Amino acid sequence: MGPAIRVVVPASQIFLEASDSFDTKKFDPWSQKTIYEYTRRDASDSFELPKPLFDFFLQQIDKYAGASDSTLQQLRYLREGVFLEELDP
C-alpha cells in the first residue's frame, strides 16, 4: 500500500488570494487540524424563492454569465470589501 493521500476541497475561498486558481498549491490539506464533513442539504420540493430574489438572480446571470473566472473573483473581492465596510458601494 502506498502513502496516505488526503483530498480536501475547501468550501470557501478564505485560504486563497485573488490571483489563485484551481491549481494553487497554497492550500495544504495536511495542515488543517479539523476537517468538517460537508453534508448536502437540498431545499424541499415545496420551497419557493421570493420573486424579487429570483428576479435578482436572473439579472445577475444575464449580466455576468460571460465573465471570466478572474473577473468573477475580482467582483467577489469587491463585494466582500463593501460588505466588510472597507470599500464604499
Side-chain angles (χ1 to χ4, degrees):
M1 181 174 251
I5 296 174
R6 186 176 195 189
V7 177
V8 178
V9 178
S12 72
Q13 298 167 326
I14 61 172
F15 303 104
L16 305 177
E17 304 288 330
S19 59
D20 292 332
S21 65
F22 287 111
D23 63 346
T24 184
K25 305 292 186 231
K26 291 181 181 179
F27 180 79
D28 178 11
W30 292 105
S31 68
Q32 306 307 308
K33 296 188 182 350
T34 304
I35 303 291
Y36 298 97
E37 182 179 346
Y38 176 77
T39 55
R40 180 179 164 167
R41 285 174 269 187
D42 290 331
S44 68
D45 290 341
S46 62
F47 180 78
E48 291 186 28
L49 285 172
K51 181 152 177 34
L53 182 59
F54 180 78
D55 290 342
F56 173 77
F57 286 154
L58 289 180
Q59 289 170 357
Q60 297 301 293
I61 291 169
D62 286 342
K63 189 180 286 188
Y64 299 113
S68 68
D69 287 345
S70 60
T71 298
L72 293 172
Q73 185 60 49
Q74 187 63 33
L75 286 168
R76 288 184 200 104
Y77 284 120
L78 291 171
R79 288 177 176 167
E80 176 189 36
V82 172
F83 179 75
L84 297 175
E85 298 180 349
E86 296 169 352
L87 297 172
D88 291 327

